[in-house]
Amino acid sequence: QVQVTESGGGLVQAGGSLTLSCAASGSFTRTTAMGWYRQAPGKERELVGSIDSSGTTKYADSVKGRFTISGDIAKNTASLQMNNLKPEDTAVYYCNALVVIDNRTFRREGQGTQVTVSS
């Protein structure tokens, strides 16, 4: 069984910052990548960004220059530093981990953490 746990959400004013943390644990061989999705009420789920085992990061255009993903994939941890937050960043943020079990890759997701940005 694999657990993905996020922490660090909350309420912040526009222009402020928050850091989300994520850790994967349980029965798997290794993690190959970790990333963050978000979903706001009435909107489609959006991939915010990701980091792979080589340290390569990718970001949605909507967060480029404001959000930074870092992590130690070998230790199954990642963080999402969010700066200059805007009200449109309000959403539930879900951490995802790609884990290898018996030479097969699976995606596992955390329970989500709420980020609310007030104007």
Side-chain angles (χ1 to χ4, degrees):
Q1 201 164 1
V2 179
Q3 295 82 40
V4 177
T5 305
E6 309 102 333
S7 62
L11 173 65
V12 65
Q13 288 188 332
S17 299
L18 278 176
T19 300
L20 306 184
S21 298
C22 178
S25 61
S27 300
F28 55 92
T29 303
R30 67 183 187 278
T31 302
T32 60
M34 299 180 76
W36 299 86
Y37 286 83
R38 67 183 181 185
Q39 187 160 23
K43 294 188 177 181
E44 291 188 357
R45 178 170 288 209
E46 176 186 28
L47 176 61
V48 176
S50 63
I51 183 168
D52 66 17
S53 56
S54 70
T56 300
T57 55
K58 297 180 180 179
Y59 300 95
D61 287 343
S62 58
V63 305
K64 279 182 182 177
R66 300 188 297 120
F67 290 13
T68 302
I69 293 177
S70 60
D72 188 339
I73 299 303
K75 295 184 178 180
N76 311 312
T77 60
S79 295
L80 176 65
Q81 173 68 42
M82 304 182 291
N83 297 325
N84 190 21
L85 283 159
K86 304 176 180 180
E88 51 263 42
D89 294 317
T90 296
V92 178
Y93 285 70
Y94 298 90
C95 180
N96 279 241
L98 294 181
V99 300
V100 176
I101 302 172
D102 293 334
N103 294 320
R104 295 173 62 191
T105 300
F106 298 87
R107 185 170 69 90
R108 293 292 180 262
E109 183 172 88
Q111 79 285 355
T113 186
Q114 177 71 45
V115 172
T116 303
V117 184
S118 63
S119 58

